[in-house]
């Protein structure tokens, strides 16, 4: 386990991030993270879905607009308010993954992308709560920031940018980073049966350099990237494919887990 630090706390970071962008439209690219893995997990329209840490709403709105019974929670009020303004028919509320206000076995599926690694405290409690609100046989799909070469390079780049802008070195908790084995063990301790843990490129490190981005992504637009995926140019994708083929555990930036409650 490795911890990433920044100059401001994780809640301030997310409050600022969600305040700076509009609510998402429904995600459009079914072939990339996270929608690709959500569709592998949600195999039936029957049963309720919880998206924990719904953020700007790209996954929540995808399933809602297709008639699924989905509820979203996020602990950042501004994100919830923007989603309610964008679509008053959404079931979305402020919530805490470590203390969910739902009865036992309420959901058949839980989707939690980029959520658990934001917890400085209460990680085991959060996973235990996830198990509690799932019905027997229910499934969870979650992602967690990987502890590997890519995320270490990403953190170094962030530290360098901070120093260039005159900021002090980060001392506030930002994210936790786990290996594949540590991520699986976290859910197994809670009582889950882990079906798979996959190395996944959400934002490839090459995307951080405009030269390697697709033409329509040269000028960064977060909502576009969140809807379409972080698209690389032909050269960038060729290089990224090679990294993921030969060193997937070192050049993914997240692991995606699918597990079920026995």
């Amino acid at each position: 386990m490795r911890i990433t630090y920044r100059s401001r706390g994780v809640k301030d970071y997310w409050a600022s991030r969600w305040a700076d962008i509009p609510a998402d439209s429904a995600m459009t690219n079914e072939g990339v993270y996270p929608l690709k893995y959500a569709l592998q997990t949600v195999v039936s329209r029957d049963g309720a879905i919880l998206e924990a840490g719904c953020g700007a709403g790209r996954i929540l709105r995808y399933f809602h607009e297709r008639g699924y019974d989905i509820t979203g929670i996020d602990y950042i009020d501004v994100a919830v308010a923007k989603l309610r303004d964008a679509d008053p028919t959404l079931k979305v509320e402020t919530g805490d993954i470590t203390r969910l206000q739902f009865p036992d076995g309420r959901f058949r599926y839980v989707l939690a992308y980029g959520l658990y690694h934001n917890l400085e405290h209460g990680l085991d409690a959060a996973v235990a709560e996830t198990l509690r609100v799932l019905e027997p046989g229910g499934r969870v799909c979650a992602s967690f920031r990987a502890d590997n070469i890519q995320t270490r390079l990403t953190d170094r780049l962030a530290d360098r940018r901070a120093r260039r802008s005159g900021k002090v070195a980060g001392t506030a908790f930002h994210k936790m980073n786990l290996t594949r084995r540590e991520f699986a063990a976290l859910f197994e301790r809670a009582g889950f049966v882990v079906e798979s843990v996959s190395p996944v490129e959400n934002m490839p490190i090459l995307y951080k350099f405009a030269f390697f981005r697709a033409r329509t992504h040269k000028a960064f637009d977060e909502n576009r990237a969140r809807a379409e995926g972080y698209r690389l140019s032909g050269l960038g994708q060729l290089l990224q494919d090679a990294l993921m083929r030969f060193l997937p555990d070192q050049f993914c930036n997240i692991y995606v887990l699918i597990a079920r409650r026995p």
Side-chain angles (χ1 to χ4, degrees):
M1 180 184 73
R2 181 176 65 87
I3 295 176
T4 296
Y5 296 93
R6 293 284 190 272
S7 59
R8 56 179 173 169
V10 66
K11 191 163 188 176
D12 288 343
Y13 167 84
W14 284 111
S16 174
R17 183 169 173 185
W18 297 143
D20 286 346
I21 65 172
D24 285 333
S25 300
M27 193 170 179
T28 57
N29 190 343
E30 296 181 352
V32 300
Y33 168 89
L35 185 53
K36 173 182 176 179
Y37 299 93
L39 293 172
Q40 290 177 9
T41 304
V42 180
V43 295
S44 170
R45 286 183 175 271
D46 298 330
I49 306 168
L50 172 66
E51 188 186 6
C54 60
R58 56 182 171 166
I59 296 298
L60 176 68
R61 297 190 74 178
Y62 176 92
F63 284 102
H64 173 75
E65 290 174 9
R66 286 158 180 77
Y68 288 80
D69 178 9
I70 185 167
T71 299
I73 64 165
D74 202 279
Y75 79 149
I76 303 299
D77 292 329
V78 68
V80 173
K82 284 190 174 187
L83 284 168
R84 286 175 173 166
D85 288 343
D87 184 350
T89 68
L90 290 171
K91 293 194 291 185
V92 59
E93 59 191 67
T94 303
D96 181 347
I97 187 62
T98 66
R99 296 187 300 274
L100 293 172
Q101 303 302 307
F102 301 108
D104 296 356
R106 169 68 176 82
F107 300 99
R108 180 164 297 175
Y109 305 105
V110 173
L111 307 176
Y113 300 116
L115 170 64
Y116 300 107
H117 59 218
N118 292 292
L119 299 174
E120 183 176 11
H121 307 291
L123 182 56
D124 284 295
V127 179
E129 274 290 86
T130 303
L131 182 79
R132 182 186 67 79
V133 301
L134 275 171
E135 63 183 44
R139 304 172 86 206
V140 58
C141 184
S143 65
F144 207 101
R145 197 171 193 253
D147 182 8
N148 62 8
I149 289 174
Q150 167 148 322
T151 57
R152 288 171 188 266
L153 288 173
T154 299
D155 290 342
R156 286 190 179 184
L157 288 171
D159 290 342
R160 181 180 296 178
R161 286 195 300 269
R163 287 195 299 271
R164 285 177 176 173
S165 63
K167 296 179 181 178
V168 297
T171 57
F173 175 88
H174 179 65
K175 284 184 174 68
M176 191 179 296
N177 308 266
L178 296 181
T179 65
R180 184 200 294 246
R181 183 175 297 178
E182 288 171 333
F183 190 24
L186 172 67
F187 279 77
E188 288 167 348
R189 285 198 305 271
F192 280 100
V193 175
V194 173
E195 297 179 359
S196 64
V197 182
S198 305
V200 173
E201 48 175 331
N202 173 26
M203 181 192 286
I205 194 166
L206 295 176
Y207 190 88
K208 295 183 178 294
F209 303 94
F211 175 80
F212 290 111
R213 293 179 195 160
R215 181 179 55 81
T216 56
H217 284 238
K218 293 294 186 185
F220 180 62
D221 180 323
E222 184 163 2
N223 287 101
R224 176 193 286 270
R226 288 171 56 77
E228 299 177 359
Y230 295 88
R231 291 185 170 176
L232 297 169
S233 66
L235 174 61
Q237 193 61 58
L238 185 67
L239 293 172
Q240 183 65 27
D241 288 347
L243 291 172
M244 289 297 291
R245 178 180 179 184
F246 294 109
L247 294 166
D249 283 296
Q250 293 303 323
F251 285 95
C252 66
N253 66 327
I254 54 172
Y255 287 113
V256 175
L257 170 146
I258 298 176
R260 62 178 171 83
R261 177 178 176 175

